[in-house]
Structure formats: structure tokens, C-alpha cells
Amino acid sequence: MASLRTRLILIVAGAGAIVTLGLLLLTLNAGCPSQERAPACTRVLFIGNSYTTVNDLPGVFASLARSGGHRVETKSAAVDGWTLANHADSPATATALAASPWDIVVLQEQSQFPAIEEFRQTQMYPAARRLIGSIRNRGARPLLYLTWGRRDGWPETGMPTYASMQSAIDDGYLAIAADQRVAISPVGYAWASVVTSEAAASLWQQDGSHPSEAGTYLAACVFYATIFRQSPKGLGYHGSLSAEAAGMIQSVAAETVLGDPAKWPAPAE
């Protein structure tokens, strides 16, 4: 396992260094009229990496929210390849967290760490606890972004298929969510539902890891249902997708989150 740790850390560090040298703070939709918390406007900060920034997930979510009649403000604190431990140690992430009276702060771990017990216990969970504490201390609600497995699994670690990797990722997020009493946006669960359909191949980019525009749209619809407790079915914003493809994704997101509201409750402080 030591060699696996070394390889994965090198992969993560290399990805971050190639793409960017510093934390990206992207203002994506400034829709709130003041710096005070207000029921009429929802502020959401996304903390993560390329699974958040590729195709601009915060912006797609904001567009969906507007099409549903919600006023939102979204920002991201994200560096490609970063882990939650990177963010927990980052002054720039701390600054982003303090920059606005966030209602919800989304936490997205590096895409592979949740699948491996050693990485969960030594890195993901300690960092998540630190970040969740900071979020709650600021009066915001933490929300975990449960991501998807890779199209071809992770054979080097005994997960030869997408399904086996997805199951391990699910376990990783569910455990820390229960430990910290934090809500989950179950994007990976919705992803698994789509994978069983003919549209499965459209969710991943060619690298079999990052989301296509359809994958990002699915994630945004799941966040919409999770945060607002409303179905995204019928929303007019489709991005670049056809009305038929968007409608299918909207339905899957609604059924995943709202079909079992006890399992996927709203974010709470």
C-alpha cells in the first residue's frame, strides 16, 4: 500500500501543478443584493477540484436555480487535483470561506481517495472534520459532494469495474456523513442510475474520469434537488443538451434525491 500511496500522491500533486499554481477563487454568479443572510437568496461555496471546475458546475447550478425561480450566489474555491487536506491547510480556502455569509458550503474530495480505506482514515476524514467544523463555526451548512467512479474502475487497487469503484466511493462518503451528521448530494447514486441506461457513455469525457457536459448537468440537477427540496423536472435551462436528454437527467436526479428524502435530507447546520 505504501507504493500505492506514493503513486497517488504524485498523481494528485502533478495534476495540481500542471493546471494551476494557486487557488482559484471564481465568482460565478453574484445574485444576492447584500452581504447579509437573507431567505430570498441562497449563497453556495463549492470547495473541491476539477470535478467541480470542469464545465463550471457552480455556474450550471446557478443557471438551473434561476430557471427555477431561485436567487443564488455561487463561488468556487478549487484547484485541479487538490484533496480536502490541501484545502484544510490552505489560507486561500480559509479566506474564501470567510468572504461571504455562505448558506451552504460543498465539500468535494479528490476523486480516488474515498475509495481507499487508508486514504479515508489518514487524509480524507481528518480534513473533512476540520473543514466541517470551520463551516459550522461560520453559521453555514456543510454538504458533501458524493462523486462517481471512473468508467473503467481502478484495477490497480482491486476495483476492476465502474460499479466496484462506485460502491467503494459511496462507502467512503456515507461513513463520514454519518460520523459528522452531514447531508450528502448523491451525485454518484444518480450517475449509477444513468449508467444502467443507454445514455451511460455520455456522462464521462474520453478520459473516463471527468464529466462531460451531461455529467455536469446531472450533478447540478442533483444539487438543485438536494438544496431546494424541489424537483428539477421541467426546468427550462438545458445548457447545450437537447430537451430530451435534459429531461431524462432531470428525472433521474429528482427520483434519486426526492424518492428517498430520509436517506438524502436537506443540508443542516
Side-chain angles (χ1 to χ4, degrees), residues 225-266:
T226 302
I227 291 171
F228 296 120
R229 315 312 294 172
Q230 295 175 0
S231 172
K233 288 195 289 187
L235 293 182
Y237 176 75
H238 298 160
S240 64
L241 304 181
S242 68
E244 180 181 7
M248 181 275 292
I249 288 172
Q250 291 170 354
S251 294
V252 169
E255 291 162 7
T256 299
V257 178
L258 304 177
D260 193 354
K263 184 172 184 177
W264 311 119

Side-chain angles (χ1 to χ4, degrees), residues 205-219:
Q205 291 187 15
Q206 289 186 350
D207 65 2
S209 173
H210 291 90
S212 66
E213 291 188 23
T216 298
Y217 187 80
L218 174 62

Side-chain angles (χ1 to χ4, degrees), residues 76-161:
S76 70
V79 175
D80 294 358
W82 267 32
T83 66
L84 290 181
N86 292 138
H87 283 293
D89 291 336
S90 170
T93 300
T95 297
L97 185 57
S100 289
W102 305 109
D103 295 293
I104 294 169
V105 179
V106 175
L107 297 176
Q108 179 242 314
E109 179 57 283
Q110 192 272 348
S111 61
Q112 295 159 290
F113 275 26
I116 300 292
E117 182 66 19
E118 180 184 354
F119 296 144
R120 295 173 191 163
Q121 298 300 334
T122 62
Q123 299 190 55
M124 177 182 177
Y125 292 172
R129 292 184 183 106
R130 288 172 59 193
L131 289 165
I132 289 165
S134 297
I135 291 164
R136 286 175 167 156
N137 285 341
R138 298 202 63 83
R141 292 169 284 162
L143 177 62
L144 294 170
Y145 173 6
L146 192 162
T147 54
W148 52 90
R150 300 197 171 187
R151 182 185 57 212
D152 303 318
W154 194 4
E156 299 89 338
T157 59
M159 289 173 273
T161 63

Side-chain angles (χ1 to χ4, degrees), residues 21-202:
L21 297 177
L23 189 71
L24 302 179
L25 288 179
L26 306 176
T27 300
L28 301 167
N29 177 54
C32 297
S34 72
Q35 281 299 301
E36 301 296 326
R37 280 199 176 89
C41 192
T42 303
R43 289 183 169 91
V44 184
L45 173 65
F46 289 78
I47 294 176
N49 54 48
S50 58
Y51 276 29
T52 291
T53 60
V54 166
N55 303 318
D56 186 10
L57 171 59
V60 175
F61 166 76
S63 295
L64 274 173
R66 285 195 299 268
S67 70
H70 298 280
R71 194 167 190 175
V72 298
E73 178 178 310
T74 61
K75 292 184 181 179
S76 70
V79 175
D80 294 358
W82 267 32
T83 66
L84 290 181
N86 292 138
H87 283 293
D89 291 336
S90 170
T93 300
T95 297
L97 185 57
S100 289
W102 305 109
D103 295 293
I104 294 169
V105 179
V106 175
L107 297 176
Q108 179 242 314
E109 179 57 283
Q110 192 272 348
S111 61
Q112 295 159 290
F113 275 26
I116 300 292
E117 182 66 19
E118 180 184 354
F119 296 144
R120 295 173 191 163
Q121 298 300 334
T122 62
Q123 299 190 55
M124 177 182 177
Y125 292 172
R129 292 184 183 106
R130 288 172 59 193
L131 289 165
I132 289 165
S134 297
I135 291 164
R136 286 175 167 156
N137 285 341
R138 298 202 63 83
R141 292 169 284 162
L143 177 62
L144 294 170
Y145 173 6
L146 192 162
T147 54
W148 52 90
R150 300 197 171 187
R151 182 185 57 212
D152 303 318
W154 194 4
E156 299 89 338
T157 59
M159 289 173 273
T161 63
Y162 155 75
S164 59
M165 186 175 183
Q166 185 67 64
S167 178
I169 289 171
D170 294 347
D171 290 346
Y173 275 103
L174 289 170
I176 190 63
D179 176 75
Q180 295 293 294
R181 299 182 182 274
V182 175
I184 287 176
S185 183
V187 177
Y189 275 71
W191 198 285
S193 294
V194 177
V195 165
T196 62
S197 73
E198 295 179 358
S202 68

